[in-house]
């Protein structure tokens, strides 16, 4: 018997239709339909080619047709500096008021179930599934996305998704019309609260890179105690934190150095998430002794040396709004942060008299580190604010946004004088609920018809009034030449 | 990596955001889609688009589509006197301007006709009858140029905001005029610009079939460069450009010219090769400073060693017979580059087909060809590009007439949602010791990768070159090596390997084919 014909690396010689059989190399072929050369770890030959899959821009967005035969395509792989493909002049609103003329007139609006289209200067509803009860009082804005509850809600029992995201397309724009479900692993009574972030504070968290996490809580679902989950849509990871011992809701969160701080009831809790190995437990750092409030709301950082976290107090129209400061000491990796100083009513740093307050949340300004939105009733600010002489009389049922720099509340326009209390945004309730507001427990978001430049995150924006919102402020006085906008974006 | 994808369809232009958001961009007033292939060139963050629209347009960072060529004012301003302080003899001329929302000047038109000279004596200069663009024209402002007293050169004086004002008065002194004179390069882009490319920081393209036109560096509104190439020698004209580092290849069907030099002062047109040229504009690609294109009888490369045919020694029949492809569609084929596999991919029409439903791959490293490939899921490819994936790795992306973008995807052995990939490999005819002898072809061993399931069909053809295929044999793909039944008796033996199941991967390493000589008949 002659030596067998041995053909290894079949096909690597490619297709040859020119040579005679006598001349052809053994590894040449006459046809290699859907075959391609393959060479890896010493294995070489011809393999079935890779499958053609529709391009999915991200892992969570379904591909869609361009709507016609594609005649050409070009990728802009460095879109920084390019405008968003989403019209920049738009409003996202989920319930309450809607304007279809760029903010001139406002009417009540009930969200429909349709997705949105894109036409500049038109207001849009977020996509389906918004639930007014379970969604946060104001939307967490995180990673250029607006997060809110979504999915099918049946009697507040079933929530099909953790959160929906309205993704912005570039730093110039907070919101977009595109609402996209980011996860389908939520459970009953999930509530998206604030986003947290755990960066590469230590080597233990390097695996997270610069990605951050959305904090989701499960409040007393099925009689169980309050539990938080953190969800990272980038990594597609959900991590469930230890449960609390009761069903009291978590009302605010803030992340710092791999720790997650939350307000719950009248207490400030913290948990070390640097390892997330199952051994972490909630630490009770402080409890506010103030019988005049029901719970702390919101959590934000006031200063970084030492870290001082601020929490507001939920109140009724007959109760004052108070802000409490928690000064963190001994804050270092591996140690449990402690709170120094009093956190009782004596440490209330501000009292106002609104009917509702939302926040506090960080403002995007180096000199104004805390903002809140409130709906005021007729009355005046308490003059506890320093030596402020000209406390402002609030119009009835107006929505205001305040910022706080540690000494004064102010509007960001004039921080040098004592004329600091002012409304930045707002109007009568018959027109606009304000940039971030709450109406009947429902979420409303801001009017974004402004033109910005540069990076949005990390700093405030001076906005030209000509493209701003409304024409009057504070009882008819003209808008200032410019004013600051403090969107509810957390500083990561 | 965030990225935007510009998609031109037969209904318009769309932007696909990295999150999947699609936004349709409005075509400029009066511009219509042609349904022809789109040609792109990107310069200074401006994307010029031709072919698919009735006149060239460009896309700016504000995602606005605008007509590339600003209209030139067709009427001259009229100078009269008013109260003022200027003394001298002056003329005026006006150009149209296009600014973005931030006031940045995006483009300027050529100067319109000059006014008559008027003598001023301590008077104001009234510039009346300012030209007004037609409705819908991409003009936002106008720019006024004036001469110095008694001079003939126009210098920039000021801009008139808006397009409605028809008269302005000035006493601007000669010394206050800009030292910048009206550019002689301010020549508008031709309305028939096509086949565009970027070379030497300029856009070059075809106009009037035989004319190579080019912009000034980093500008899209100044087109002073113009080089006729074999004007009037055929009705097709220039068929493609290959922008290599130092040379711009300019193809006609039967020639390749090249433009050398680095600026308007030393650009020179040189003939590179006669007798062979570029047949398909869409086949032109430059990869690592080597140009590739489809000629009338095969694929050619153009590099430092000149023009070489890449198919004559291997797959010439693909391009010179009607067996494999519809050669009538050759002028319409297009090519793409797979940066991961380093392959030049040419999309063609199957024999008898009128759509581009096949493709072949040139493995650039080895110079070997593979294919022809086909897909049951995608049957009409229309365009190709390269795009970063979620890991910022550049990948080949192919567009289709169904309106979707596709990419070869690692780990996938299926086209689309569920279409099988028909792996069909035909080996050579083995002759044993000599083709004159009859051989007994024994049990062949097949070597493949281990798969969790699947069967590879091995079909032998034994006998002559024209013999019919024998009974198919099955190779179990869960086995890395399997010995098949005896193949047969005959002078020649050929094996065909086929697998056509959705989701089934195949890696075929080779085979051993024992034989014994039966004798000579």
């Amino acid at each position: 018997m002659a030596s067998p014909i041995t053909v290894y690396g079949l096909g690597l010689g490619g297709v040859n239709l020119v040579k005679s059989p006598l001349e052809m190399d053994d590894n040449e072929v006459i046809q290699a339909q859907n075959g391609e050369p393959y060479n890896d770890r010493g294995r070489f030959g011809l393999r079935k080619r890779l499958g053609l899959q529709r391009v999915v821009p991200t892992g969570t967005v379904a591909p869609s047709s361009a709507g016609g035969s594609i005649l050409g395509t070009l990728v802009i792989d460095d879109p920084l500096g390019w405008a968003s493909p989403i019209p920049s002049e738009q409003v996202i609103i989920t319930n309450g008021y809607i304007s279809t003329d760029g903010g001139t007139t406002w009417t009540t609006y009930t969200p429909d179930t349709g997705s949105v289209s894109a036409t500049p200067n038109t207001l849009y509803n977020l996509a389906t599934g918004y639930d007014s009860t379970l969604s946060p009082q104001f939307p967490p804005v995180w990673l250029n996305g607006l997060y809110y509850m979504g999915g099918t809600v049946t009697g507040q029992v079933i929530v099909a998704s953790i959160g929906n995201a309205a993704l912005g397309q570039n730093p110039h724009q907070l919101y977009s019309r595109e609402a996209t479900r980011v996860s389908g692993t939520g459970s009953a009574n999930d509530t998206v609260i604030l986003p947290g972030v755990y960066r590469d504070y230590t080597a233990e968290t390097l695996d997270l890179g610069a990605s951050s996490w959305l904090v989701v809580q499960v409040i007393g679902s099925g009689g169980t105690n309050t539990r938080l989950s953190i969800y990272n849509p980038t990594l597609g990871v959900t991590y469930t934190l230890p449960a609390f011992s009761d069903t009291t809701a978590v009302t605010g969160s803030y992340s710092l150095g791999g720790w997650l701080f939350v307000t719950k009831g009248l207490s400030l809790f913290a948990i070390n998430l640097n390892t997330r190995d199952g051994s972490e437990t909630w630490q009770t750092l402080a409890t506010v002794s103030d019988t005049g409030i029901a719970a702390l709301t919101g959590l934000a950082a006031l200063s970084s040396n030492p870290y001082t976290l601020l929490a507001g107090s939920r109140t009724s129209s007959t109760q004052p709004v108070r802000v409490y400061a928690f000064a963190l000491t001994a804050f270092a990796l591996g140690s449990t942060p402690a709170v120094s100083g009093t956190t009782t009513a004596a440490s209330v740093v501000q009292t106002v008299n609104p009917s509702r307050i939302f926040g506090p949340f960080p403002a995007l300004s180096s000199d104004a580190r805390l903002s809140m939105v409130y709906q005021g009733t007729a009355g005046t600010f308490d003059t506890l604010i320093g030596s402020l002489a000209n406390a402002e009389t609030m119009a009835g049922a107006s929505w205001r946004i305040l910022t706080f720099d540690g000494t004064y509340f102010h509007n960001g326009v004039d921080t040098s004088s004592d004329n600091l209390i002012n409304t930045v945004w707002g109007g009568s309730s018959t027109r606009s609920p304000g940039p971030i507001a709450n109406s009947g427990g429902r979420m409303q978001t801001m009017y974004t018809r402004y033109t910005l430049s540069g990076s949005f995150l990390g700093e405030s924006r001076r906005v030209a009034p000509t493209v701003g919102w409304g024409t009057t402020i504070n009882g008819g006085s003209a808008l200032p030449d410019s004013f600051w906008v403090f969107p509810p974006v957390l500083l990561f | 990596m965030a990225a935007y994808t510009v998609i031109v369809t037969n209904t318009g232009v769309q932007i696909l955001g990295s999150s999947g958001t699609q936004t349709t961009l409005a075509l400029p007033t009066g511009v219509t889609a042609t349904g022809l292939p789109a040609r792109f060139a990107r310069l200074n963050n401006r994307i010029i688009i031709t072919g698919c629209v009735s006149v060239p347009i460009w896309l700016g960072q504000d995602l606005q589509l605008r007509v590339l060529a600003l209209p030139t004012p067709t009427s001259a301003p009229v100078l009269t006197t008013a109260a003022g302080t200027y003394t001298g003899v002056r003329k005026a001329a006006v150009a149209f301007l296009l600014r973005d929302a931030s006031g940045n000047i995006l483009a300027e038109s050529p100067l319109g006709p000059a006014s008559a000279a008027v003598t001023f004596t301590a008077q104001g200069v009234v510039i009346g009858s300012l030209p007004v663009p037609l409705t819908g024209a991409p003009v936002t402002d106008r720019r006024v140029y004036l001469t110095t007293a008694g001079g003939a050169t126009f210098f920039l004086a000021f801009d008139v905001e808006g397009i409605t004002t028809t008269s302005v008065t000035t006493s601007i002194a000669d010394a206050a005029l800009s030292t910048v004179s009206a550019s002689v390069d301010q020549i508008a882009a031709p309305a028939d610009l096509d086949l565009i490319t970027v070379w030497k920081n300029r856009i070059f393209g075809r106009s009037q079939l035989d004319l190579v036109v080019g912009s000034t560096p980093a500008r899209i509104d100044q087109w002073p460069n113009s080089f006729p190439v074999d004007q009037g020698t055929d009705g097709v004209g220039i068929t493609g450009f290959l922008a290599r580092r130092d040379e711009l290849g300019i193809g006609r069907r039967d020639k390749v010219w090249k433009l050398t030099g680095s600026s308007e002062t030393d650009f020179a047109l040189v003939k590179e090769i006669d007798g062979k040229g570029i047949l398909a504009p869409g086949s032109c690609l430059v990869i690592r400073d080597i140009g590739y294109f489809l000629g009338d009888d095969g694929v050619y490369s153009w590099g430092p060693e000149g023009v070489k045919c890449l198919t004559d020694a291997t797959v010439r029949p693909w391009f010179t017979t009607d067996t494999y492809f519809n050669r009538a569609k050759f002028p319409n084929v297009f090519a793409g580059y797979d940066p991961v596999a380093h392959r030049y991919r040419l999309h063609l029409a199957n024999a008898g087909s009128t759509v581009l439903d096949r493709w072949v791959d040139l493995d650039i490293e080895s110079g070997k060809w593979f294919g022809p490939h086909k897909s049951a899921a995608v049957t009409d490819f229309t365009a190709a590009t390269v795009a970063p994936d979620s890991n910022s790795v550049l990948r080949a992306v192919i567009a289709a007439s169904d309106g979707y973008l596709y990419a070869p995807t690692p780990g996938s052995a299926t086209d689309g949602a569920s279409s099988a990939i028909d792996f069909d490999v035909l080996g050579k005819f083995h002759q044993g010791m000599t083709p004159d002898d009859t051989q007994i072809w024994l049990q062949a061993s097949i070597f493949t990768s281990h798969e969790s399931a699947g069967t590879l069909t091995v079909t032998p053809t034994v006998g002559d070159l024209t013999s019919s295929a024998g009974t198919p044999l099955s190779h179990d793909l869960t086995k890395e090596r399997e010995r098949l039944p005896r193949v047969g008796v005959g002078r020649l033996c050929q094996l065909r390997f086929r697998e056509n199941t959705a989701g089934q991967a195949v890696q075929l390493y080779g085979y051993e084919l024992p034989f014994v000589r039966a004798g000579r008949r």
Side-chain angles (χ1 to χ4, degrees):
Chain A
M1 184 175 73
S3 298
I5 295 168
T6 58
V7 181
Y8 294 113
L10 174 65
L12 294 185
V15 176
N16 196 306
L17 303 172
V18 176
K19 293 180 183 176
S20 75
L22 296 178
E23 297 171 315
M24 279 183 72
D25 295 334
D26 285 345
N27 66 358
E28 289 182 318
V29 295
I30 294 173
Q31 173 181 290
Q33 175 180 290
N34 293 327
E36 63 181 9
Y38 173 79
N39 197 333
D40 184 27
R41 291 175 295 177
R43 304 168 185 172
F44 58 102
L46 209 57
R47 71 175 179 184
K48 183 183 283 191
R49 66 165 170 82
L50 302 181
L52 294 174
Q53 295 298 316
R54 289 176 182 171
V55 171
V56 182
T58 72
T60 57
V61 180
S64 55
S65 169
S69 179
I70 295 177
L71 304 174
T73 181
L74 178 75
V75 171
I76 306 170
D77 56 2
D78 54 344
L80 189 63
W82 287 72
S84 168
I86 301 165
S88 59
E89 297 179 353
Q90 61 180 330
V91 172
I92 296 173
I93 190 167
T94 55
N95 196 9
Y97 296 90
I98 188 169
S99 174
T100 57
D101 54 9
T104 302
T105 59
W106 294 79
T107 57
T108 55
Y109 176 77
T110 301
D112 59 29
T113 57
S115 59
V116 294
S117 58
T119 302
N121 301 320
T122 305
L123 299 176
Y124 296 106
N125 177 39
L126 283 173
T128 61
Y130 173 73
D131 180 79
S132 62
T133 302
L134 300 181
S135 289
Q137 294 178 334
F138 56 87
V141 178
W142 175 53
L143 295 178
N144 287 336
L146 174 69
Y147 284 77
Y148 63 99
M149 291 308 300
T152 302
V153 178
T154 304
Q156 300 181 21
V157 174
I158 300 171
V159 180
S161 67
I162 283 181
N164 281 358
L167 298 174
Q169 291 300 302
N170 70 12
H172 296 179
Q173 186 178 3
L174 275 177
Y175 310 136
S176 81
R177 66 185 176 83
E178 185 78 8
T180 304
R181 179 168 298 176
V182 296
S183 174
T185 57
S187 57
N189 290 336
D190 283 5
T191 299
V192 178
I193 51 175
L194 291 173
V197 62
Y198 312 101
R199 281 189 169 171
D200 49 351
Y201 184 73
T202 69
E204 287 81 1
T205 59
L206 284 175
D207 61 312
L208 301 180
S211 60
S212 52
W213 298 69
L214 193 69
V215 180
V216 180
Q217 71 171 322
V218 182
I219 305 172
S221 172
T224 61
N225 293 330
T226 299
R227 182 186 296 272
L228 294 183
S229 294
I230 55 175
Y231 169 65
N232 187 313
T234 303
L235 302 176
V237 172
T238 299
Y239 183 70
T240 301
L241 307 184
F244 288 93
S245 58
D246 56 36
T247 60
T248 305
V250 168
T251 51
S253 73
Y254 190 80
S255 63
L256 199 62
W259 284 76
L260 176 66
F261 298 85
V262 301
T263 52
K264 178 174 171 293
L266 296 179
S267 297
L268 176 70
F269 294 88
I271 191 169
N272 185 352
L273 297 179
N274 281 294
T275 56
R276 303 183 317 283
D277 59 0
S279 64
E280 61 275 1
T281 57
W282 287 103
Q283 309 289 330
T284 305
L285 300 187
T287 298
V288 174
S289 300
D290 190 339
T291 56
I293 60 172
L296 298 170
T297 61
L299 197 60
L302 172 64
S303 62
S304 59
N305 188 23
Y307 271 105
T308 300
L309 299 182
L310 293 177
S313 66
R314 186 183 293 277
T315 182
S316 70
S317 61
T318 59
Q319 290 177 321
V321 165
R322 296 174 180 175
V323 179
Y324 301 85
F326 301 93
L328 301 179
T329 61
F331 181 71
L333 184 69
S335 63
T336 302
V339 172
S340 66
T342 178
T343 56
T344 64
S347 66
V348 173
V349 294
Q350 167 60 344
T351 301
V352 292
N353 191 30
S355 60
R356 296 190 184 97
I357 186 166
F358 308 101
F361 49 85
L364 299 180
S365 169
S366 60
D367 59 354
R369 298 190 177 87
L370 178 71
S371 299
M372 64 176 68
V373 177
Y374 68 90
Q375 183 183 32
T377 58
T380 61
F381 279 110
D382 193 293
T383 56
L384 287 175
I385 311 170
S387 58
L388 190 63
N390 53 344
E392 181 188 0
T393 299
M394 299 169 58
S398 293
W399 292 92
R400 313 296 171 103
I401 183 169
L402 298 179
T403 62
F404 181 63
D405 68 356
T407 305
Y408 299 116
F409 280 95
H410 62 82
N411 66 354
V413 175
D414 180 2
T415 61
S416 60
S417 73
D418 61 356
N419 184 19
L420 297 174
I421 292 184
N422 208 337
T423 49
V424 180
W425 297 70
S428 72
S429 60
T430 57
R431 292 197 57 186
S432 166
I436 305 165
N438 182 293
S439 174
R442 298 190 176 184
M443 178 178 71
Q444 292 170 328
T445 60
M446 69 171 58
Y447 175 59
T448 60
R449 185 174 179 266
Y450 45 73
T451 303
L452 302 176
S453 61
S455 174
F456 192 89
L457 294 176
E459 56 182 309
S460 299
R461 288 295 166 195
R462 191 173 288 275
V463 179
T466 54
V467 293
W469 171 19
T471 56
T472 62
I473 189 170
N474 278 348
S477 60
L479 279 171
D481 290 340
S482 63
F483 56 91
W484 294 93
V485 178
F486 297 96
V489 179
L490 291 181
L491 288 172
F492 293 149
Chain B
M1 174 187 289
Y4 296 164
T5 305
V6 182
I7 299 174
V8 177
T9 72
N10 52 9
T11 58
V13 179
Q14 299 189 8
I15 291 285
L16 180 67
S18 55
S19 68
T21 306
Q22 284 180 231
T23 303
T24 299
L25 304 181
L27 289 175
T29 302
V31 177
T32 56
T34 64
L36 298 174
R39 315 289 182 193
F40 298 97
R42 180 175 176 180
L43 181 69
N44 202 20
N45 270 329
R46 293 166 186 179
I47 297 171
I48 292 81
I49 304 173
T50 68
C52 58
V53 282
S54 52
V55 296
I57 59 176
W58 66 279
L59 175 65
Q61 287 185 296
D62 56 0
L63 298 187
Q64 296 293 309
L65 292 171
R66 299 179 175 91
V67 173
L68 180 60
L70 263 62
T72 303
T74 55
S75 62
V78 176
L79 300 187
T80 55
T81 61
T85 60
Y86 182 74
T87 297
V89 179
R90 255 185 179 165
K91 292 190 294 185
V94 176
F96 288 146
L97 281 184
L98 174 63
R99 295 178 189 270
D100 65 15
S102 301
N104 302 313
I105 296 176
L106 301 176
E108 182 178 349
S109 78
L111 272 184
S115 72
V118 174
T119 301
F120 299 90
T121 305
Q123 292 171 309
V125 179
V126 179
I127 308 168
S129 299
L130 287 171
V132 174
L134 295 174
T135 301
V139 177
T140 58
D141 304 287
R142 287 154 299 171
R143 173 159 285 184
V144 175
Y145 289 84
L146 295 171
T147 61
T148 55
T153 303
F154 286 97
F155 295 94
L156 171 60
F158 50 82
D159 293 342
V160 179
E161 293 188 2
I163 56 173
T164 56
T165 300
T166 56
S167 179
V168 294
T169 302
T170 180
S171 292
I172 187 170
D174 289 349
L177 296 176
S178 169
T179 56
V180 178
S181 61
S183 173
V184 296
D185 293 335
Q186 203 71 45
I187 299 170
D192 65 345
L193 181 69
D194 196 9
L195 304 185
I196 48 180
T197 191
V198 173
W199 184 66
K200 298 290 183 186
N201 201 27
R202 297 163 173 82
I203 297 174
F204 284 87
R206 179 187 74 172
S207 176
Q208 302 173 31
L209 294 184
D210 300 323
L211 206 57
V212 176
V213 293
S215 70
T216 53
R219 297 289 296 261
I220 64 169
D221 58 347
Q222 297 180 343
W223 292 77
N225 293 303
S226 178
F227 306 93
V229 178
D230 291 338
Q231 270 187 310
T233 53
D234 66 24
V236 178
I238 294 166
T239 51
F241 291 94
L242 293 163
R244 294 177 53 217
R245 184 181 58 206
D246 295 324
E247 298 171 324
L248 176 64
I250 304 163
R252 297 182 67 96
R253 286 196 164 195
D254 57 350
K255 300 180 187 68
V256 175
W257 290 74
K258 65 182 180 183
L259 194 61
T260 63
S262 57
S263 69
E264 282 73 6
T265 59
D266 63 352
F267 281 146
L269 201 57
V270 180
K271 186 181 291 184
E272 177 73 8
I273 186 173
D274 224 339
K276 287 297 173 192
I278 297 173
L279 184 61
S283 70
C284 296
L285 274 186
V286 175
I287 303 167
R288 299 184 187 178
D289 205 34
I290 302 292
Y292 297 86
F293 63 88
L294 176 65
D296 57 358
D297 61 350
V299 176
Y300 289 79
S301 67
W302 173 52
E305 298 174 355
V307 174
K308 297 192 304 182
C309 185
L310 304 177
T311 49
D312 273 355
T314 51
V315 291
R316 180 177 171 84
W318 278 353
F319 303 100
T320 56
T321 72
D322 293 323
T323 305
Y324 302 94
F325 302 114
N326 181 353
R327 292 193 291 165
K329 299 294 290 184
F330 276 2
N332 307 109
V333 306
F334 69 91
Y337 176 56
D338 186 334
V340 176
H342 191 34
R343 290 178 196 142
Y344 172 84
R345 182 161 293 151
L346 188 63
H347 293 264
L348 303 144
N350 192 29
S353 172
T354 57
V355 296
L356 303 185
D357 53 1
R358 296 287 189 276
W359 71 97
V360 294
D361 281 337
L362 169 65
D363 187 80
I364 295 175
E365 199 63 39
S366 65
K368 307 300 183 185
W369 287 92
F370 296 89
H373 307 304
K374 66 178 182 178
S375 170
V378 191
T379 57
D380 185 7
F381 294 98
T382 54
T385 188
V386 171
D389 64 10
S390 58
N391 296 320
S392 301
V393 175
L394 292 176
R395 296 168 59 190
V397 171
I398 313 158
S401 63
D402 60 2
Y404 289 95
L405 300 175
Y406 294 86
T409 304
S412 171
T414 305
D415 284 344
S418 58
S419 294
I421 300 172
D422 190 359
F423 178 77
D424 191 356
V425 175
L426 196 57
K428 65 166 287 187
F429 276 99
H430 296 285
Q431 73 273 12
M433 300 297 289
T434 166
D436 191 40
D437 288 346
T438 296
Q439 321 285 349
I440 300 172
W441 301 96
L442 304 174
Q443 295 167 305
S445 298
I446 309 298
F447 299 89
T448 61
S449 67
H450 165 73
E451 307 293 340
S452 58
T455 300
L456 178 69
T457 301
V458 182
T459 305
T461 297
V462 178
D464 302 324
L465 293 173
T466 56
S467 295
S468 300
T471 301
L473 309 173
S474 292
H475 166 66
D476 185 350
L477 284 171
T478 65
K479 300 175 181 176
E480 293 188 350
R481 180 258 185 191
E482 186 179 18
R483 192 172 62 184
L484 303 183
R486 179 174 292 188
V487 174
V489 178
R491 291 191 304 112
L492 304 174
C493 179
Q494 179 189 45
L495 297 181
R496 180 179 192 172
F497 304 90
R498 192 170 189 194
E499 205 294 322
N500 190 22
T501 306
Q504 180 62 57
V506 177
Q507 290 179 15
L508 178 57
Y509 300 142
Y511 56 88
E512 290 195 5
L513 183 57
F515 66 95
V516 295
R517 179 174 180 269
R520 181 171 179 270
R521 295 183 177 178

